[in-house]
Amino acid sequence: MTSDLLAPLDLAFWNIESAEHPMHLGALGVFTAHSPTAGAHAADLLAARAAAVPGLRMRIRDAWQPHGLLRPFSFGGATREPAEDFDPLDHVRLHAPTADFQAMAGRLMERPLERGRPPWEAHVLPGEDGVSFAVLFKFHHALADGLRALTLAAAILDPMDLPARRPRPEQPRGSRLPDVRKLPDLLRGRLSDVGRALDIGASVAVSTLGVRSSAALAAEPSGTRRTAGVVIDIDDVHVVRKAVGGTVNDVLIAVVAGALRRWLDERGDGSEGVAPRALIPVSKRRPRTAHPQGNRLSGYLIRLPVDDPDPLRRLATVRTAMDRNKDAGPNRGAGAVALLADHVPALAHRLGGPLVGQAARLWFDILVTSVPLPGVALKLGGHAVTEVYPFAPLARGQSLAIAISTYRGRVHYGLVADAAAVPDLDVLAAALSEEVETLITACAP
């Protein structure tokens, strides 16, 4: 294993972290248990397998010198490098039996990962019922994005029967000096980048005009977390999609908009005039190419029609907004602001990280992200996964983030909230299920 320089977006995630806003993503998998000792056996398996996975040995270290003649902006950056003293027992922890996996997950999600060693953890939670256990995986966003985290987690679960990976052609070893024959193309690329940056900046400015969000989606950081999970049948989603058109993702985002409306009205905050900006991350690499390491993310920004009382109009509004974003592409528009990280020197990331973290609230109001999962069954020690809830990091100044995964014919919503700001997260969770039923009813002839 060799060290590599953190990509600019990875470095941004590393530097905007604070004790109140840890920048790790998570996933809570619930397993069937063949015996009361299944959880302990699972913890032993995870630790034993983690020792053989190179990506789990990588720690992040500060880098205070440029890396190569063409990387002068790397001064003040960080590298991902092997930890010689790596001990998987420091990262895999077996907890006492619990009756509430989500309550435990919330308390564990609020704890930052230790930055001096490989930034990941696996927490095994035996169920008090003796017939189930759960595993909460935590990966720092600087170590892995959603696809990379899935790859690392899959490496310590039971082997999956996946199609063989196509071999990738070897890339020729690059020179430290630019190829003069490519300079015109490089120049055109730089000019294109400047134009794209101007477009993104203008779109961000426009996106702040006429914003009407809700105080319920903003929070002074308490450092606490609460999680919740909701499962809906993918067939129900297809009923709506086939009736009105659009994509599965359009329906799932519209469900979020309707659930927010129910939740705000029930808690007394009111939904009238509320149209919060939702950031919809977009991965810029394919699921089968989760290498090289480093985040490859852009995003779409849409206004959620929370204030519209009609469920089908809400869905139509979401569909139109998503179509408009797709037509423009993931490289432009306010949602693509993460791409600007590539044009910021490493030292500026380090010095400006806290300010960037605080600016997230000005850019978007809520994160709604989709995390892909394989279509095959996941197992650990022969115990099958029955539920998988993805959890996204919570940005500074925001009270709620929603992640979505589809697994084995069911959609799993994973909700993460500031526990002090959103003590009624269970109400929002219930509203998601209710909104699906509302959409089905509205689509009925």
Side-chain angles (χ1 to χ4, degrees), residues 13 45 84 100-101 149 153 196 212 215 250 262 269 278 287 292 300 303-304 309 318 336 338-340 345 410 445:
F13 285 133
L45 277 177
E84 300 301 329
D100 191 336
F101 295 141
R196 182 175 63 184
R212 173 73 171 90
D250 293 341
R262 292 171 182 268
D269 290 344
Y300 299 143
R303 299 283 183 94
L304 293 179
V318 167
L339 298 179
L340 298 182
R410 301 199 299 172

Side-chain angles (χ1 to χ4, degrees), residues 302-317:
I302 70 171
R303 299 283 183 94
L304 293 179
V306 173
D307 56 342
D308 193 327
D310 185 287
L312 295 184
R313 275 206 310 265
R314 287 197 295 269
L315 176 52
T317 299

Side-chain angles (χ1 to χ4, degrees), residues 269-344:
D269 290 344
S271 59
E272 183 177 355
V274 174
R277 297 159 300 171
L279 176 64
I280 317 293
V282 177
S283 177
K284 291 179 65 62
R285 60 178 164 192
R286 298 176 181 176
R288 297 299 302 277
T289 56
H291 299 277
Q293 301 179 26
N295 281 276
R296 301 289 187 273
L297 293 174
S298 182
Y300 299 143
L301 196 71
I302 70 171
R303 299 283 183 94
L304 293 179
V306 173
D307 56 342
D308 193 327
D310 185 287
L312 295 184
R313 275 206 310 265
R314 287 197 295 269
L315 176 52
T317 299
V318 167
R319 180 183 175 186
T320 299
M322 289 298 289
D323 286 346
R324 188 181 300 117
N325 274 292
K326 292 171 187 175
D327 288 342
N331 294 331
R332 295 181 183 272
V337 72
L339 298 179
L340 298 182
D342 291 338
H343 307 287
V344 177

Side-chain angles (χ1 to χ4, degrees), residues 5-6 11 15 61-79 344-351:
L5 196 66
L6 251 62
L11 187 61
N15 285 315
R61 287 276 183 89
D62 293 337
W64 287 101
Q65 58 185 5
H67 282 64
L69 297 176
L70 300 181
R71 307 286 296 272
F73 280 6
S74 65
F75 178 77
T79 60
V344 177
L347 186 60
H349 276 298
R350 181 179 297 276
L351 298 177

Side-chain angles (χ1 to χ4, degrees), residues 260-272:
L260 288 173
R261 177 182 176 83
R262 292 171 182 268
W263 175 62
L264 292 174
D265 287 343
E266 184 163 338
R267 74 188 336 236
D269 290 344
S271 59
E272 183 177 355

